[in-house]
Amino acid sequence: MKVSALPALSSRLRSSALVVVIVLASACLSFSADSKSRASKMIFPASETNYQPRPYTGKLEPDDGQWMRPAKDYASTRYSTLNQINTETVKNLKLEFTFSTGLARGHEAAPLVVNNTMYIVTPWPNNLYALDLAQPGAPMKWVYQPMPTPASQGVACCDVVNRGASYDNGKIYYNTLDDQTVCVDAKSGKQVWKTRIGDINKGESLTMAPLVVKGKVLVGVSGGEFGIRGWLKALDANSGQVAWTAYTTGLDKDVLIGPRFKPFYAQDRGQDLGVKTWPPDAWKIGGAGAWGWVSYDPDLNLIFYGTANPGPWDSDARPGANKFSAGIFARDPDTGEAIWYYQFSPHDLFDYDAVNENILLDLPIEGRTRKVLVHPDRNGYVYVIDRTNGEVLSANPFAPITTSAGVDLKTGLLQYVEEKEPHRGKVLRGLCPSAPGAKDWQPSAFSPRTGLVYIPHNHLCMDEEDVSVNYIAGTPYVGANVVMYDAPGGHGGEFSAWDPVAGKIAWTIPDHFPVWSGALATAGDLVFYGTMDGWFHAVDARQGHDLWKFKTGSGIIGQPVTYKGPDGKQYVAILSGVGGWAGAIVAGGLDPRDKSAALGFVGAMQDLPKYTTGGGMLYVFSLP
Amino acid sequence: MQTDLALWSAVAGMLMLLACSREERQFRPSPPASEVINSVQVSGLNPGANPVGAPAAPEYYQESAYAVSQGKTLFNEYNCSGCHANGGGGIGPPLMDNYWIYGSEPGNIFTTIIQGRPNGMPSFRNRIPEFQAWEIVAYVRSLSGLLPKDVAPSRSDQFYVKPPEQSMPYQVPTGITGKPEPPK
């Protein structure tokens, strides 16, 4: 009878006994961790208790009511001066027309609007549609089909997305997944040129939206999970010939580092750091593409862009600082010469690419106006950097962080937490932010009327075990088992208004899923964004109140834009169509029983298929 | 006496030799790859009611725990896991569910690995030796419970991210298979 005593207990009692044991055990664990070191501390962002709008006094590009570049302007503000749709009228916002792309993969592109024509780039097979905004219902003018090879889908790490096109001087420029940059006549839809600048058999692909600066098309490569050797290229806008190539790794002459290169911090100075900060030859397969956003300052004649994660993720394979990965370059757009560089995450341990947007602003910092760039990084900090020389002026957390304890503003170095450094054969728990970072590619917007940066972002942590990995050209080169999950609070994403001067959050809106869409700010004091369950929101830019929302057919991971139509009315447009890395479970039909699927993102997105299905559709709204 | 000893030694020697019979490793599995590939079809539609049977395949790998365990190691070492994760998929489709785009029979999977498939599956022809490809095939089938429980791997020493192959329930394969279910 004694033997059966335990089984005789009701199963509920047994499970509560188990809970007690677990609670006691975890209490012991957290106690010992606290007594050990600062290691298990989680850093949270600071909130402003009494936010006062700080109208922007710097200058902005004049606005003609069109949307010609991915980020609207060279400074990457994603701000429009249109104000017909505002906090008063937004409640009347109605659907005006729609357009189906016929594709069920992730739609991340911003539509362009030029000369009463809207241009949409789809995910692979990267079709370019032109819609006539002067006709009722915006019928199709033409479609351009570049026919990228289907095999290129096998080297796209995180769904077969495309982040959009750029307009310049009567032409549309964009990239295909199979490494071609195309130039299409904006009126006729005829191809002007097409240049192949990469090779899928080396794991190279193109997903980013190019920027055209002074007759040069700037294109950066994707493939940090495929052992590429990262680069940014400038193509002549007229001929499509490559004008210069700036590698991220290798000898100074390949990185275009010369006498004009003057990084602010000592650790970024020295000869051939792109070779010396790697084990022999590892720089040749060190990843570090440039698949994010490019900004341009015409006064300084500098472009700014971030470099991606070093490869493989298994950091034991690449001791060293791994220059010039996970940092930001300022370059001369004419020659490609590097002017300065700063590394956000030296010897990156967690896939913290630095490719996020750089918003160029002139802000009052400690009593004087500084030419800065604002960069919300994957490592969890919003950096304010002097864009003339690369000095970090501030770096404040905007999401929960356990992997680092801050940024030393004297040395510019990220303060890693030793206990959270992954090594082979060791499972680490509670790494925040997770691999896609506190914020991935999804671009922020800035409103000069409030002085706030609107940041769509993730709210995730992860567990990780690094494993050794073989390099086989054209196949993934990762070497980590990852499982992601929601950060404390029980939600996976947030849409936050950030005060870049105070370095604090003005307001934030939690969302069940990572907010994987871009943001749009308007002079109507509205901010637009979408959620992965398909809601398109307009919120009050000052207080964050939700003023209007519309349920689209699929989850939203696109970038909202606004424009003035030929009828003088203001329109707002968004591509719906779930996918991307976060939405891979739906776009790729992945199996939620394996939480490490999609490089661990499936762990956090197991319930997404219950909320949305795929399907690309453009939605355009206006007032009646 | 001496004769006896010699006799007994000879008998013992013969017995020892017999004991040396080990499990055989097939480095050139039969049938040859060309025969397997030629018997694979990637469609379930057979005009003129001309059904094609399951593609030829060696049976050894599906029955050997050793082969499946080797397959699991190779699945990581050839970076299959880079795209298919630990079976749940990512860049490539999941392998632990019951939907088989290009077929679930060993010959189908072998052909997919060797030939590649148009939407991103690389061709590993001349990269993976035949016997290793068959080991990977066996492991891939274990992911969705298509192998006997005593052959499929149990929980691995690594980070626990999904149920072990051994505990996966048998899932009736759908999609293109070598043995389509007959109508009732």
Side-chain angles (χ1 to χ4, degrees), chain B residues 112-183:
Chain B
T112 296
I113 294 170
I114 299 303
Q115 291 187 332
R117 293 297 177 212
N119 285 306
M121 173 72 195
S123 162
F124 286 90
R125 191 189 297 279
N126 300 337
R127 291 276 163 235
I128 300 184
E130 262 180 58
F131 77 97
Q132 289 190 339
W134 284 117
E135 287 170 344
I136 295 170
V137 167
Y139 174 65
V140 165
R141 285 171 54 83
S142 80
L143 284 164
S144 58
L146 297 184
L147 294 192
K149 301 272 182 228
D150 57 350
V151 173
S154 56
R155 185 179 163 162
S156 72
D157 296 337
Q158 287 185 331
F159 181 24
Y160 186 88
V161 296
K162 59 146 203 141
E165 293 78 7
Q166 207 170 47
S167 71
M168 288 301 285
Y170 172 79
Q171 299 172 79
V172 180
T174 60
I176 311 303
T177 68
K179 287 182 208 154
E181 268 186 69

Side-chain angles (χ1 to χ4, degrees), chain B:
Chain B
M1 201 61 190
Q2 268 196 341
T3 330
D4 274 5
L5 192 63
L7 187 67
W8 282 114
S9 305
V11 169
M14 299 274 278
L15 281 171
M16 279 165 78
L17 276 174
L18 275 177
C20 282
S21 164
R22 302 171 59 195
E23 191 177 23
E24 267 180 62
R25 299 276 296 281
Q26 300 187 2
F27 294 101
R28 283 182 181 275
S30 174
S34 56
E35 193 184 322
V36 177
I37 290 169
N38 283 338
S39 65
V40 162
Q41 63 176 47
V42 192
S43 168
L45 189 57
N46 307 296
N50 180 30
V52 181
E59 277 168 20
Y60 158 74
Y61 300 92
Q62 309 293 312
E63 297 162 352
S64 159
Y66 171 77
V68 180
S69 142
Q70 287 294 99
K72 181 169 183 164
T73 303
L74 296 170
F75 186 81
N76 286 311
E77 295 198 340
Y78 284 114
N79 295 347
C80 311
S81 54
C83 289
H84 300 285
N86 290 289
I91 299 165
L95 302 174
M96 65 198 285
D97 63 2
N98 67 341
Y99 184 64
W100 295 87
I101 304 170
Y102 303 113
S104 63
E105 292 295 312
N108 293 89
I109 303 167
F110 177 84
T111 309
T112 296
I113 294 170
I114 299 303
Q115 291 187 332
R117 293 297 177 212
N119 285 306
M121 173 72 195
S123 162
F124 286 90
R125 191 189 297 279
N126 300 337
R127 291 276 163 235
I128 300 184
E130 262 180 58
F131 77 97
Q132 289 190 339
W134 284 117
E135 287 170 344
I136 295 170
V137 167
Y139 174 65
V140 165
R141 285 171 54 83
S142 80
L143 284 164
S144 58
L146 297 184
L147 294 192
K149 301 272 182 228
D150 57 350
V151 173
S154 56
R155 185 179 163 162
S156 72
D157 296 337
Q158 287 185 331
F159 181 24
Y160 186 88
V161 296
K162 59 146 203 141
E165 293 78 7
Q166 207 170 47
S167 71
M168 288 301 285
Y170 172 79
Q171 299 172 79
V172 180
T174 60
I176 311 303
T177 68
K179 287 182 208 154
E181 268 186 69
K184 290 186 174 132

Side-chain angles (χ1 to χ4, degrees), chain A residues 124 150-151 153-154 156-157 226 427 429 463-465 467 469-470 472 475-476 481-483 588-591 593-598, chain B residues 77-79 82-94 96-97 118-120 122 124 157-159 161-163 168-169 171:
Chain A
W124 184 90
Q153 295 172 96
C157 80
F226 281 81
V427 181
R429 312 275 179 188
D463 299 343
E464 175 171 344
E465 178 192 38
V467 293
V469 57
N470 292 322
I472 305 170
T475 70
N481 281 311
V482 168
V483 172
L590 308 187
D591 196 313
R593 289 172 295 180
D594 175 5
K595 287 183 280 188
S596 72
Chain B
E77 295 198 340
Y78 284 114
N79 295 347
C83 289
H84 300 285
N86 290 289
I91 299 165
M96 65 198 285
D97 63 2
N119 285 306
F124 286 90
D157 296 337
Q158 287 185 331
F159 181 24
V161 296
K162 59 146 203 141
M168 288 301 285
Q171 299 172 79

